[in-house]
Amino acid sequence: AQSVTQLGSHVSVSEGALVLLRCNYSSSVPPYLFWYVQYPNQGLQLLLKYTTGATLVKGINGFEAEFKKSETSFHLTKPSAHMSDAAEYFCAVSDSAYSGGGADGLTFGKGTHLIIQP
Amino acid sequence: DTEVTQTPKHLVMGMTNKKSLKCEQHMGHRAMYWYKQKAKKPPELMFVYSYEKLSINESVPSRFSPECPNSSLLNLHLHALQPEDSALYLCASSQEGGLIYEQYFGPGTRLTVT
């Protein structure tokens, strides 16, 4: 089965500072990777995804991520943090190792809670 | 329209009750999913339907019974639940069931079992 590891359960940055959320994947085949954000008491919203092609992926709300095969990483960045970015962020990988076949689910990292200091 | 709707938003039920969670999407997606999310944990996959057929059941107890009446609807029938089943239940859909397709999530149903 494929997996992702998110380094840092909590990350705190000042408003206007660079946001860097780390995600490393473990996969024996080319992975399909996703970043989702979850605001309190809400569902998950897709920020961006990497499937094939360009390794620098741009997403919504000014976020981007770079797929680095040599480092097995897919870190999420944003140049300037905003108070509204405070939320839980999940890195996820499509995993075909689930039972039954025919469709695939997502395997999520444990999440990183992003705190924005005023 | 990239919306997945879930009803109810909140549900409190006793251990002997029978209730159902409902999920709906009108994006023409052919794969739908149920995830369970405990507090401060990531979502965990429960079931996957692909073209209205159950394709994945991640060893979920039989007190959870999924149903896909048509390509737009997904239900989760609940019976004789335990307090540890209290969680946020998330529904998601994707264009197809393959690895490449992103999943769109609903807002979830917050379930409390008393």
Side-chain angles (χ1 to χ4, degrees):
Chain A
Q2 304 187 58
S3 65
V4 289
T5 301
Q6 291 183 242
L7 298 175
S9 59
H10 291 77
V11 170
S12 181
V13 302
S14 299
E15 190 175 17
L18 171 71
V19 175
L20 171 60
L21 304 182
R22 300 177 187 274
C23 174
N24 288 90
Y25 67 89
S26 172
S27 173
S28 58
V29 298
Y32 298 106
L33 295 160
F34 306 82
W35 274 101
Y36 284 86
V37 61
Q38 186 175 32
Y39 298 99
N41 299 312
Q42 293 188 27
L44 279 72
Q45 181 182 16
L46 179 70
L47 285 174
L48 48 79
K49 69 173 184 179
Y50 170 79
T51 53
T52 57
T55 56
L56 182 62
V57 181
K58 294 188 184 298
I60 63 170
N61 302 339
F63 285 95
E64 63 182 37
E66 187 170 10
F67 174 72
K68 291 188 176 180
K69 186 177 179 181
S70 61
E71 299 177 8
T72 60
S73 69
F74 189 56
H75 301 332
L76 182 71
T77 60
K78 182 174 180 178
S80 177
H82 193 273
M83 296 299 290
S84 61
D85 295 325
E88 192 79 17
Y89 290 79
F90 292 100
C91 182
V93 62
S94 276
D95 196 339
S96 61
Y98 287 106
S99 58
D104 305 284
L106 291 171
T107 295
F108 289 88
K110 291 182 186 266
T112 297
H113 186 66
L114 178 62
I115 301 162
I116 311 296
Q117 305 280 3
Chain B
D1 181 11
T2 58
E3 190 179 27
V4 176
T5 59
Q6 290 187 243
T7 55
K9 297 189 79 166
H10 300 275
L11 178 63
V12 179
M13 60 185 291
M15 289 190 285
T16 59
N17 291 159
K18 285 186 180 180
K19 296 287 184 183
S20 296
L21 309 185
K22 179 181 173 182
C23 173
E24 194 165 5
Q25 57 87 15
H26 295 288
M27 296 177 277
H29 289 176
R30 303 315 301 266
M32 296 186 77
Y33 311 77
W34 280 115
Y35 289 84
K36 174 182 178 180
Q37 186 179 26
K38 300 283 280 184
K40 300 191 185 301
K41 297 288 186 183
E44 294 179 339
L45 184 67
M46 299 175 71
F47 302 104
V48 182
Y49 273 83
S50 180
Y51 287 85
E52 299 155 50
K53 291 185 178 169
L54 183 65
S55 63
I56 293 177
N57 176 342
E58 280 299 291
S59 302
V60 179
S62 60
R63 57 185 184 267
F64 294 91
S65 176
E67 179 196 19
C68 190
N70 59 58
S71 60
S72 300
L73 279 175
L74 185 65
N75 298 320
L76 186 62
H77 302 298
L78 314 173
H79 173 56
L81 294 192
Q82 304 296 311
E84 60 264 29
D85 297 321
S86 298
L88 181 67
Y89 288 84
L90 294 163
C91 174
S93 70
S94 64
Q95 183 177 338
E96 300 274 347
L99 293 170
I100 198 171
Y101 298 103
E102 65 269 28
Q103 295 179 22
Y104 294 89
F105 285 79
T109 293
R110 177 77 59 188
L111 174 67
T112 304
V113 182
T114 60

